[in-house]
mmCIF file of all heavy atoms in Angstrom:
data_model
loop_
_atom_site.group_PDB
_atom_site.id
_atom_site.type_symbol
_atom_site.label_atom_id
_atom_site.label_comp_id
_atom_site.label_asym_id
_atom_site.label_seq_id
_atom_site.Cartn_x
_atom_site.Cartn_y
_atom_site.Cartn_z
ATOM 1 N N ALA A 1 1.998 -51.328 -82.386
ATOM 2 C CA ALA A 1 0.858 -51.453 -83.350
ATOM 3 C C ALA A 1 0.270 -52.953 -83.288
ATOM 4 O O ALA A 1 1.091 -53.908 -83.493
ATOM 5 C CB ALA A 1 1.129 -51.135 -84.790
ATOM 6 N N VAL A 2 -0.981 -53.128 -82.989
ATOM 7 C CA VAL A 2 -1.600 -54.423 -83.179
ATOM 8 C C VAL A 2 -2.561 -54.486 -84.270
ATOM 9 O O VAL A 2 -3.481 -53.610 -84.312
ATOM 10 C CB VAL A 2 -2.369 -54.776 -81.751
ATOM 11 C CG1 VAL A 2 -3.007 -56.109 -81.871
ATOM 12 C CG2 VAL A 2 -1.438 -54.587 -80.630
ATOM 13 N N ILE A 3 -2.383 -55.309 -85.175
ATOM 14 C CA ILE A 3 -3.110 -55.340 -86.464
ATOM 15 C C ILE A 3 -3.824 -56.674 -86.592
ATOM 16 O O ILE A 3 -3.210 -57.690 -86.373
ATOM 17 C CB ILE A 3 -2.187 -55.104 -87.702
ATOM 18 C CG1 ILE A 3 -1.483 -53.792 -87.496
ATOM 19 C CG2 ILE A 3 -3.008 -54.966 -88.999
ATOM 20 C CD1 ILE A 3 -0.193 -53.524 -88.419
ATOM 21 N N ASP A 4 -5.061 -56.704 -86.968
ATOM 22 C CA ASP A 4 -5.766 -57.945 -87.154
ATOM 23 C C ASP A 4 -6.726 -57.843 -88.347
ATOM 24 O O ASP A 4 -7.053 -56.722 -88.875
ATOM 25 C CB ASP A 4 -6.542 -58.414 -85.901
ATOM 26 C CG ASP A 4 -7.736 -57.435 -85.571
ATOM 27 O OD1 ASP A 4 -8.646 -57.328 -86.386
ATOM 28 O OD2 ASP A 4 -7.533 -56.803 -84.544
ATOM 29 N N ASN A 5 -7.309 -58.999 -88.832
ATOM 30 C CA ASN A 5 -8.177 -59.089 -89.922
ATOM 31 C C ASN A 5 -9.582 -59.458 -89.389
ATOM 32 O O ASN A 5 -10.281 -60.224 -90.046
ATOM 33 C CB ASN A 5 -7.713 -60.065 -90.996
ATOM 34 C CG ASN A 5 -7.708 -61.546 -90.492
ATOM 35 O OD1 ASN A 5 -7.657 -61.773 -89.268
ATOM 36 N ND2 ASN A 5 -7.756 -62.415 -91.339
ATOM 37 N N GLY A 6 -9.952 -58.899 -88.344
ATOM 38 C CA GLY A 6 -11.263 -59.144 -87.719
ATOM 39 C C GLY A 6 -12.391 -58.477 -88.329
ATOM 40 O O GLY A 6 -12.271 -57.863 -89.380
ATOM 41 N N SER A 7 -13.523 -58.498 -87.525
ATOM 42 C CA SER A 7 -14.802 -58.051 -88.149
ATOM 43 C C SER A 7 -14.930 -56.559 -88.266
ATOM 44 O O SER A 7 -15.652 -55.947 -89.012
ATOM 45 C CB SER A 7 -15.974 -58.607 -87.300
ATOM 46 O OG SER A 7 -15.779 -58.127 -85.995
ATOM 47 N N GLY A 8 -13.977 -55.838 -87.623
ATOM 48 C CA GLY A 8 -13.978 -54.310 -87.567
ATOM 49 C C GLY A 8 -15.023 -53.875 -86.754
ATOM 50 O O GLY A 8 -15.863 -54.450 -86.060
ATOM 51 N N MET A 9 -14.975 -52.531 -86.404
ATOM 52 C CA MET A 9 -15.738 -51.776 -85.489
ATOM 53 C C MET A 9 -16.483 -50.604 -86.136
ATOM 54 O O MET A 9 -15.820 -49.950 -86.881
ATOM 55 C CB MET A 9 -14.903 -51.395 -84.249
ATOM 56 C CG MET A 9 -14.272 -52.469 -83.427
ATOM 57 S SD MET A 9 -13.219 -51.915 -82.112
ATOM 58 C CE MET A 9 -14.490 -51.413 -80.894
ATOM 59 N N THR A 10 -17.704 -50.318 -85.802
ATOM 60 C CA THR A 10 -18.405 -49.204 -86.243
ATOM 61 C C THR A 10 -17.906 -48.026 -85.342
ATOM 62 O O THR A 10 -17.243 -48.146 -84.262
ATOM 63 C CB THR A 10 -19.903 -49.360 -86.096
ATOM 64 O OG1 THR A 10 -20.191 -49.502 -84.642
ATOM 65 C CG2 THR A 10 -20.347 -50.621 -86.860
ATOM 66 N N SER A 11 -18.403 -46.842 -85.731
ATOM 67 C CA SER A 11 -17.963 -45.669 -85.066
ATOM 68 C C SER A 11 -18.535 -45.711 -83.623
ATOM 69 O O SER A 11 -17.906 -45.276 -82.636
ATOM 70 C CB SER A 11 -18.439 -44.353 -85.701
ATOM 71 O OG SER A 11 -19.872 -44.247 -85.746
ATOM 72 N N LYS A 12 -19.704 -46.185 -83.510
ATOM 73 C CA LYS A 12 -20.325 -46.375 -82.165
ATOM 74 C C LYS A 12 -19.678 -47.380 -81.283
ATOM 75 O O LYS A 12 -19.489 -47.193 -80.087
ATOM 76 C CB LYS A 12 -21.869 -46.757 -82.280
ATOM 77 C CG LYS A 12 -22.590 -46.752 -80.908
ATOM 78 C CD LYS A 12 -22.600 -45.453 -80.216
ATOM 79 C CE LYS A 12 -23.427 -45.473 -78.975
ATOM 80 N NZ LYS A 12 -23.414 -44.145 -78.203
ATOM 81 N N GLN A 13 -19.224 -48.467 -81.897
ATOM 82 C CA GLN A 13 -18.448 -49.567 -81.169
ATOM 83 C C GLN A 13 -17.111 -48.959 -80.590
ATOM 84 O O GLN A 13 -16.670 -49.260 -79.512
ATOM 85 C CB GLN A 13 -18.313 -50.735 -82.002
ATOM 86 C CG GLN A 13 -19.617 -51.550 -82.226
ATOM 87 C CD GLN A 13 -19.435 -52.617 -83.245
ATOM 88 O OE1 GLN A 13 -18.699 -52.450 -84.251
ATOM 89 N NE2 GLN A 13 -20.146 -53.764 -82.995
ATOM 90 N N LEU A 14 -16.506 -48.151 -81.503
ATOM 91 C CA LEU A 14 -15.259 -47.391 -81.010
ATOM 92 C C LEU A 14 -15.565 -46.515 -79.890
ATOM 93 O O LEU A 14 -14.821 -46.344 -78.932
ATOM 94 C CB LEU A 14 -14.653 -46.642 -82.244
ATOM 95 C CG LEU A 14 -13.887 -47.505 -83.236
ATOM 96 C CD1 LEU A 14 -13.429 -46.523 -84.386
ATOM 97 C CD2 LEU A 14 -12.691 -48.215 -82.751
ATOM 98 N N ASN A 15 -16.698 -45.852 -79.936
ATOM 99 C CA ASN A 15 -17.085 -44.941 -78.899
ATOM 100 C C ASN A 15 -17.262 -45.750 -77.573
ATOM 101 O O ASN A 15 -16.788 -45.360 -76.552
ATOM 102 C CB ASN A 15 -18.401 -44.202 -79.322
ATOM 103 C CG ASN A 15 -18.734 -43.212 -78.288
ATOM 104 O OD1 ASN A 15 -18.652 -43.323 -77.040
ATOM 105 N ND2 ASN A 15 -19.452 -42.076 -78.733
ATOM 106 N N ASN A 16 -17.994 -46.880 -77.722
ATOM 107 C CA ASN A 16 -18.209 -47.733 -76.481
ATOM 108 C C ASN A 16 -16.859 -48.188 -75.899
ATOM 109 O O ASN A 16 -16.719 -48.300 -74.750
ATOM 110 C CB ASN A 16 -19.082 -48.975 -77.000
ATOM 111 C CG ASN A 16 -20.544 -48.632 -77.109
ATOM 112 O OD1 ASN A 16 -20.901 -47.567 -76.805
ATOM 113 N ND2 ASN A 16 -21.166 -49.520 -77.821
ATOM 114 N N TRP A 17 -15.924 -48.515 -76.787
ATOM 115 C CA TRP A 17 -14.526 -48.980 -76.358
ATOM 116 C C TRP A 17 -13.932 -47.969 -75.494
ATOM 117 O O TRP A 17 -13.225 -48.200 -74.543
ATOM 118 C CB TRP A 17 -13.725 -49.411 -77.493
ATOM 119 C CG TRP A 17 -12.364 -49.920 -77.136
ATOM 120 C CD1 TRP A 17 -12.086 -51.262 -76.829
ATOM 121 C CD2 TRP A 17 -11.141 -49.184 -76.917
ATOM 122 N NE1 TRP A 17 -10.730 -51.342 -76.499
ATOM 123 C CE2 TRP A 17 -10.177 -50.061 -76.520
ATOM 124 C CE3 TRP A 17 -10.779 -47.832 -77.057
ATOM 125 C CZ2 TRP A 17 -8.890 -49.752 -76.270
ATOM 126 C CZ3 TRP A 17 -9.533 -47.464 -76.738
ATOM 127 C CH2 TRP A 17 -8.581 -48.397 -76.389
ATOM 128 N N ALA A 18 -14.107 -46.632 -75.880
ATOM 129 C CA ALA A 18 -13.504 -45.534 -75.259
ATOM 130 C C ALA A 18 -14.047 -45.193 -73.894
ATOM 131 O O ALA A 18 -13.422 -44.698 -73.040
ATOM 132 C CB ALA A 18 -13.563 -44.317 -76.145
ATOM 133 N N VAL A 19 -15.352 -45.661 -73.636
ATOM 134 C CA VAL A 19 -16.003 -45.313 -72.386
ATOM 135 C C VAL A 19 -15.387 -46.136 -71.216
ATOM 136 O O VAL A 19 -15.343 -47.369 -71.260
ATOM 137 C CB VAL A 19 -17.511 -45.440 -72.448
ATOM 138 C CG1 VAL A 19 -18.229 -45.206 -71.089
ATOM 139 C CG2 VAL A 19 -18.039 -44.595 -73.528
ATOM 140 N N TYR A 20 -15.104 -45.569 -70.117
ATOM 141 C CA TYR A 20 -14.501 -46.256 -68.871
ATOM 142 C C TYR A 20 -15.328 -47.245 -68.307
ATOM 143 O O TYR A 20 -16.561 -46.882 -68.105
ATOM 144 C CB TYR A 20 -13.948 -45.203 -67.963
ATOM 145 C CG TYR A 20 -13.318 -45.860 -66.769
ATOM 146 C CD1 TYR A 20 -12.007 -46.329 -67.003
ATOM 147 C CD2 TYR A 20 -13.782 -45.920 -65.563
ATOM 148 C CE1 TYR A 20 -11.341 -46.919 -65.846
ATOM 149 C CE2 TYR A 20 -13.219 -46.328 -64.450
ATOM 150 C CZ TYR A 20 -11.929 -46.913 -64.694
ATOM 151 O OH TYR A 20 -11.299 -47.532 -63.614
ATOM 152 N N ARG A 21 -14.835 -48.487 -68.057
ATOM 153 C CA ARG A 21 -15.611 -49.432 -67.380
ATOM 154 C C ARG A 21 -16.851 -49.965 -68.075
ATOM 155 O O ARG A 21 -17.701 -50.497 -67.461
ATOM 156 C CB ARG A 21 -16.042 -49.042 -65.934
ATOM 157 C CG ARG A 21 -14.821 -48.777 -64.974
ATOM 158 C CD ARG A 21 -14.041 -50.065 -64.876
ATOM 159 N NE ARG A 21 -12.970 -49.942 -63.818
ATOM 160 C CZ ARG A 21 -12.020 -50.792 -63.558
ATOM 161 N NH1 ARG A 21 -11.947 -51.841 -64.289
ATOM 162 N NH2 ARG A 21 -11.104 -50.601 -62.674
ATOM 163 N N LEU A 22 -16.882 -49.734 -69.422
ATOM 164 C CA LEU A 22 -18.003 -50.306 -70.197
ATOM 165 C C LEU A 22 -17.525 -51.701 -70.648
ATOM 166 O O LEU A 22 -17.082 -51.882 -71.839
ATOM 167 C CB LEU A 22 -18.479 -49.467 -71.365
ATOM 168 C CG LEU A 22 -19.575 -49.870 -72.173
ATOM 169 C CD1 LEU A 22 -20.843 -49.974 -71.281
ATOM 170 C CD2 LEU A 22 -19.926 -48.927 -73.319
ATOM 171 N N SER A 23 -17.593 -52.667 -69.782
ATOM 172 C CA SER A 23 -17.040 -53.952 -70.030
ATOM 173 C C SER A 23 -17.803 -54.721 -71.154
ATOM 174 O O SER A 23 -18.925 -54.560 -71.455
ATOM 175 C CB SER A 23 -17.146 -54.859 -68.789
ATOM 176 O OG SER A 23 -16.910 -56.284 -69.032
ATOM 177 N N LYS A 24 -17.082 -55.468 -71.959
ATOM 178 C CA LYS A 24 -17.686 -56.211 -73.017
ATOM 179 C C LYS A 24 -18.669 -57.314 -72.523
ATOM 180 O O LYS A 24 -19.453 -57.758 -73.291
ATOM 181 C CB LYS A 24 -16.635 -56.905 -73.910
ATOM 182 C CG LYS A 24 -15.801 -57.955 -73.256
ATOM 183 C CD LYS A 24 -14.747 -58.479 -74.199
ATOM 184 C CE LYS A 24 -13.965 -59.667 -73.623
ATOM 185 N NZ LYS A 24 -12.893 -60.087 -74.476
ATOM 186 N N PHE A 25 -18.589 -57.645 -71.241
ATOM 187 C CA PHE A 25 -19.485 -58.495 -70.673
ATOM 188 C C PHE A 25 -20.867 -57.896 -70.104
ATOM 189 O O PHE A 25 -21.819 -58.596 -69.961
ATOM 190 C CB PHE A 25 -18.868 -59.302 -69.451
ATOM 191 C CG PHE A 25 -17.702 -60.198 -70.017
ATOM 192 C CD1 PHE A 25 -16.459 -59.764 -70.022
ATOM 193 C CD2 PHE A 25 -17.987 -61.534 -70.471
ATOM 194 C CE1 PHE A 25 -15.378 -60.580 -70.555
ATOM 195 C CE2 PHE A 25 -16.920 -62.288 -70.917
ATOM 196 C CZ PHE A 25 -15.695 -61.835 -70.910
ATOM 197 N N THR A 26 -20.895 -56.622 -70.054
ATOM 198 C CA THR A 26 -21.983 -55.936 -69.635
ATOM 199 C C THR A 26 -22.527 -54.942 -70.596
ATOM 200 O O THR A 26 -23.608 -54.317 -70.457
ATOM 201 C CB THR A 26 -21.736 -55.159 -68.352
ATOM 202 O OG1 THR A 26 -20.733 -54.152 -68.558
ATOM 203 C CG2 THR A 26 -21.389 -56.084 -67.129
ATOM 204 N N ARG A 27 -21.781 -54.722 -71.688
ATOM 205 C CA ARG A 27 -22.158 -53.828 -72.786
ATOM 206 C C ARG A 27 -23.443 -54.130 -73.462
ATOM 207 O O ARG A 27 -23.538 -55.341 -73.881
ATOM 208 C CB ARG A 27 -21.045 -53.712 -73.770
ATOM 209 C CG ARG A 27 -21.103 -52.740 -74.836
ATOM 210 C CD ARG A 27 -19.778 -52.719 -75.663
ATOM 211 N NE ARG A 27 -18.637 -52.352 -74.884
ATOM 212 C CZ ARG A 27 -17.413 -52.661 -75.149
ATOM 213 N NH1 ARG A 27 -17.176 -53.181 -76.294
ATOM 214 N NH2 ARG A 27 -16.364 -52.321 -74.349
ATOM 215 N N GLN A 28 -24.344 -53.296 -73.527
ATOM 216 C CA GLN A 28 -25.649 -53.543 -74.213
ATOM 217 C C GLN A 28 -25.642 -52.808 -75.618
ATOM 218 O O GLN A 28 -25.230 -51.633 -75.750
ATOM 219 C CB GLN A 28 -26.797 -52.956 -73.364
ATOM 220 C CG GLN A 28 -26.828 -53.591 -71.976
ATOM 221 C CD GLN A 28 -27.166 -55.119 -72.058
ATOM 222 O OE1 GLN A 28 -27.891 -55.565 -72.821
ATOM 223 N NE2 GLN A 28 -26.477 -55.869 -71.295
ATOM 224 N N GLY A 29 -26.281 -53.527 -76.554
ATOM 225 C CA GLY A 29 -26.466 -52.920 -77.828
ATOM 226 C C GLY A 29 -27.567 -51.935 -77.814
ATOM 227 O O GLY A 29 -28.448 -51.971 -77.028
ATOM 228 N N ASP A 30 -27.514 -50.999 -78.672
ATOM 229 C CA ASP A 30 -28.602 -50.054 -78.868
ATOM 230 C C ASP A 30 -28.730 -49.769 -80.454
ATOM 231 O O ASP A 30 -28.189 -50.367 -81.241
ATOM 232 C CB ASP A 30 -28.307 -48.736 -78.172
ATOM 233 C CG ASP A 30 -27.066 -48.074 -78.527
ATOM 234 O OD1 ASP A 30 -26.570 -48.102 -79.772
ATOM 235 O OD2 ASP A 30 -26.399 -47.374 -77.639
ATOM 236 N N PHE A 31 -29.710 -48.873 -80.739
ATOM 237 C CA PHE A 31 -29.903 -48.636 -82.107
ATOM 238 C C PHE A 31 -28.676 -48.309 -83.001
ATOM 239 O O PHE A 31 -28.502 -48.794 -84.135
ATOM 240 C CB PHE A 31 -30.864 -47.496 -82.385
ATOM 241 C CG PHE A 31 -31.326 -47.187 -83.743
ATOM 242 C CD1 PHE A 31 -32.346 -47.917 -84.340
ATOM 243 C CD2 PHE A 31 -30.661 -46.114 -84.431
ATOM 244 C CE1 PHE A 31 -32.693 -47.639 -85.601
ATOM 245 C CE2 PHE A 31 -30.991 -45.877 -85.702
ATOM 246 C CZ PHE A 31 -32.091 -46.652 -86.298
ATOM 247 N N GLU A 32 -27.812 -47.510 -82.432
ATOM 248 C CA GLU A 32 -26.650 -47.075 -83.149
ATOM 249 C C GLU A 32 -25.527 -48.121 -83.186
ATOM 250 O O GLU A 32 -24.747 -48.230 -84.185
ATOM 251 C CB GLU A 32 -25.978 -45.875 -82.521
ATOM 252 C CG GLU A 32 -26.090 -44.564 -83.372
ATOM 253 C CD GLU A 32 -25.220 -44.566 -84.618
ATOM 254 O OE1 GLU A 32 -25.431 -45.422 -85.457
ATOM 255 O OE2 GLU A 32 -24.359 -43.692 -84.737
ATOM 256 N N SER A 33 -25.370 -48.859 -82.168
ATOM 257 C CA SER A 33 -24.323 -49.916 -82.138
ATOM 258 C C SER A 33 -24.614 -51.240 -82.714
ATOM 259 O O SER A 33 -23.605 -51.981 -82.824
ATOM 260 C CB SER A 33 -23.949 -50.040 -80.609
ATOM 261 O OG SER A 33 -25.023 -50.598 -79.957
ATOM 262 N N ASP A 34 -25.804 -51.459 -83.149
ATOM 263 C CA ASP A 34 -26.196 -52.720 -83.860
ATOM 264 C C ASP A 34 -25.841 -53.944 -83.008
ATOM 265 O O ASP A 34 -26.364 -54.192 -82.040
ATOM 266 C CB ASP A 34 -25.575 -52.829 -85.211
ATOM 267 C CG ASP A 34 -26.237 -51.881 -86.149
ATOM 268 O OD1 ASP A 34 -27.363 -51.477 -85.982
ATOM 269 O OD2 ASP A 34 -25.496 -51.333 -87.181
ATOM 270 N N HIS A 35 -24.634 -54.537 -83.398
ATOM 271 C CA HIS A 35 -24.243 -55.801 -82.724
ATOM 272 C C HIS A 35 -23.017 -55.638 -81.826
ATOM 273 O O HIS A 35 -22.162 -56.434 -81.755
ATOM 274 C CB HIS A 35 -23.913 -56.888 -83.761
ATOM 275 C CG HIS A 35 -24.999 -57.116 -84.843
ATOM 276 N ND1 HIS A 35 -26.211 -57.702 -84.483
ATOM 277 C CD2 HIS A 35 -25.080 -56.788 -86.154
ATOM 278 C CE1 HIS A 35 -26.988 -57.725 -85.568
ATOM 279 N NE2 HIS A 35 -26.327 -57.202 -86.494
ATOM 280 N N SER A 36 -23.053 -54.605 -81.055
ATOM 281 C CA SER A 36 -21.959 -54.393 -80.134
ATOM 282 C C SER A 36 -21.967 -55.114 -78.918
ATOM 283 O O SER A 36 -21.081 -55.120 -78.170
ATOM 284 C CB SER A 36 -21.747 -52.943 -79.823
ATOM 285 O OG SER A 36 -22.834 -52.514 -79.093
ATOM 286 N N GLY A 37 -23.142 -55.755 -78.555
ATOM 287 C CA GLY A 37 -23.250 -56.587 -77.365
ATOM 288 C C GLY A 37 -22.289 -57.786 -77.463
ATOM 289 O O GLY A 37 -22.110 -58.445 -78.425
ATOM 290 N N TYR A 38 -21.621 -58.111 -76.310
ATOM 291 C CA TYR A 38 -20.602 -59.128 -76.371
ATOM 292 C C TYR A 38 -21.286 -60.495 -76.382
ATOM 293 O O TYR A 38 -22.186 -60.806 -75.748
ATOM 294 C CB TYR A 38 -19.771 -58.978 -75.177
ATOM 295 C CG TYR A 38 -18.657 -60.111 -75.065
ATOM 296 C CD1 TYR A 38 -17.653 -60.125 -75.863
ATOM 297 C CD2 TYR A 38 -18.758 -61.204 -74.184
ATOM 298 C CE1 TYR A 38 -16.588 -61.070 -75.836
ATOM 299 C CE2 TYR A 38 -17.832 -62.149 -74.160
ATOM 300 C CZ TYR A 38 -16.760 -62.151 -74.935
ATOM 301 O OH TYR A 38 -15.805 -63.062 -74.956
ATOM 302 N N VAL A 39 -20.781 -61.370 -77.282
ATOM 303 C CA VAL A 39 -21.142 -62.740 -77.340
ATOM 304 C C VAL A 39 -20.013 -63.631 -77.009
ATOM 305 O O VAL A 39 -19.004 -63.608 -77.781
ATOM 306 C CB VAL A 39 -21.749 -63.031 -78.797
ATOM 307 C CG1 VAL A 39 -22.102 -64.489 -78.883
ATOM 308 C CG2 VAL A 39 -22.868 -62.173 -79.131
ATOM 309 N N ARG A 40 -20.085 -64.410 -76.028
ATOM 310 C CA ARG A 40 -18.986 -65.312 -75.611
ATOM 311 C C ARG A 40 -18.603 -66.230 -76.806
ATOM 312 O O ARG A 40 -19.513 -66.870 -77.354
ATOM 313 C CB ARG A 40 -19.298 -66.104 -74.383
ATOM 314 C CG ARG A 40 -18.182 -66.838 -73.792
ATOM 315 C CD ARG A 40 -18.465 -67.519 -72.487
ATOM 316 N NE ARG A 40 -18.714 -66.623 -71.500
ATOM 317 C CZ ARG A 40 -17.843 -66.104 -70.717
ATOM 318 N NH1 ARG A 40 -16.571 -66.426 -70.861
ATOM 319 N NH2 ARG A 40 -18.094 -65.281 -69.748
ATOM 320 N N PRO A 41 -17.348 -66.386 -77.170
ATOM 321 C CA PRO A 41 -16.956 -67.191 -78.160
ATOM 322 C C PRO A 41 -17.278 -68.631 -77.941
ATOM 323 O O PRO A 41 -17.532 -69.144 -76.845
ATOM 324 C CB PRO A 41 -15.403 -66.929 -78.289
ATOM 325 C CG PRO A 41 -15.058 -65.828 -77.488
ATOM 326 C CD PRO A 41 -16.222 -65.636 -76.433
ATOM 327 N N LEU A 42 -17.057 -69.443 -79.046
ATOM 328 C CA LEU A 42 -17.253 -70.952 -78.932
ATOM 329 C C LEU A 42 -16.272 -71.458 -77.972
ATOM 330 O O LEU A 42 -15.042 -70.953 -77.865
ATOM 331 C CB LEU A 42 -17.186 -71.577 -80.239
ATOM 332 C CG LEU A 42 -18.271 -71.216 -81.250
ATOM 333 C CD1 LEU A 42 -17.918 -71.778 -82.701
ATOM 334 C CD2 LEU A 42 -19.556 -71.705 -80.817
ATOM 335 N N PRO A 43 -16.477 -72.656 -77.311
ATOM 336 C CA PRO A 43 -15.533 -73.122 -76.301
ATOM 337 C C PRO A 43 -14.269 -73.720 -77.084
ATOM 338 O O PRO A 43 -14.395 -74.644 -77.754
ATOM 339 C CB PRO A 43 -16.339 -74.194 -75.580
ATOM 340 C CG PRO A 43 -17.417 -74.637 -76.508
ATOM 341 C CD PRO A 43 -17.740 -73.301 -77.218
ATOM 342 N N VAL A 44 -13.152 -72.956 -76.891
ATOM 343 C CA VAL A 44 -11.961 -73.365 -77.478
ATOM 344 C C VAL A 44 -10.901 -73.217 -76.340
ATOM 345 O O VAL A 44 -11.297 -72.526 -75.297
ATOM 346 C CB VAL A 44 -11.514 -72.609 -78.677
ATOM 347 C CG1 VAL A 44 -12.533 -72.997 -79.897
ATOM 348 C CG2 VAL A 44 -11.471 -71.257 -78.498
ATOM 349 N N PRO A 45 -9.617 -73.547 -76.470
ATOM 350 C CA PRO A 45 -8.615 -73.276 -75.465
ATOM 351 C C PRO A 45 -8.657 -71.830 -75.083
ATOM 352 O O PRO A 45 -8.783 -70.929 -75.906
ATOM 353 C CB PRO A 45 -7.318 -73.662 -76.063
ATOM 354 C CG PRO A 45 -7.683 -74.799 -77.047
ATOM 355 C CD PRO A 45 -9.063 -74.417 -77.585
ATOM 356 N N ARG A 46 -8.632 -71.565 -73.790
ATOM 357 C CA ARG A 46 -8.784 -70.238 -73.194
ATOM 358 C C ARG A 46 -7.925 -69.286 -73.919
ATOM 359 O O ARG A 46 -8.180 -67.991 -74.038
ATOM 360 C CB ARG A 46 -8.652 -70.237 -71.742
ATOM 361 C CG ARG A 46 -8.879 -68.884 -71.069
ATOM 362 C CD ARG A 46 -8.991 -68.880 -69.626
ATOM 363 N NE ARG A 46 -10.164 -69.630 -69.133
ATOM 364 C CZ ARG A 46 -11.392 -69.146 -69.022
ATOM 365 N NH1 ARG A 46 -11.517 -67.890 -69.353
ATOM 366 N NH2 ARG A 46 -12.351 -69.898 -68.605
ATOM 367 N N SER A 47 -6.693 -69.690 -74.279
ATOM 368 C CA SER A 47 -5.674 -68.814 -74.763
ATOM 369 C C SER A 47 -6.158 -68.230 -76.190
ATOM 370 O O SER A 47 -5.551 -67.288 -76.670
ATOM 371 C CB SER A 47 -4.355 -69.550 -74.949
ATOM 372 O OG SER A 47 -4.548 -70.679 -75.942
#
């Protein structure tokens, strides 16, 4: 079990996660997914 206190995912974002090879770097947002497009985080240590 991996548990976090992050922003959470909508049902459409969970759907997107399930689709094979839908990388977070190429994933496009649509009407249902709102903000599911990947945004590269601020520059901090890669880990």
Side-chain angles (χ1 to χ4, degrees):
V2 182
I3 305 168
D4 66 63
N5 66 338
S7 56
M9 300 175 73
T10 66
S11 62
K12 185 61 177 178
Q13 287 170 326
L14 285 176
N15 188 323
N16 287 346
W17 183 89
V19 177
Y20 182 70
R21 292 301 187 192
L22 186 59
S23 167
K24 69 183 180 183
F25 292 92
T26 59
R27 185 175 300 161
Q28 297 299 316
D30 56 33
F31 181 83
E32 248 292 61
S33 60
D34 290 335
H35 305 291
S36 64
Y38 179 73
V39 178
R40 187 177 292 275
L42 297 173
V44 295
R46 183 170 293 278
S47 61

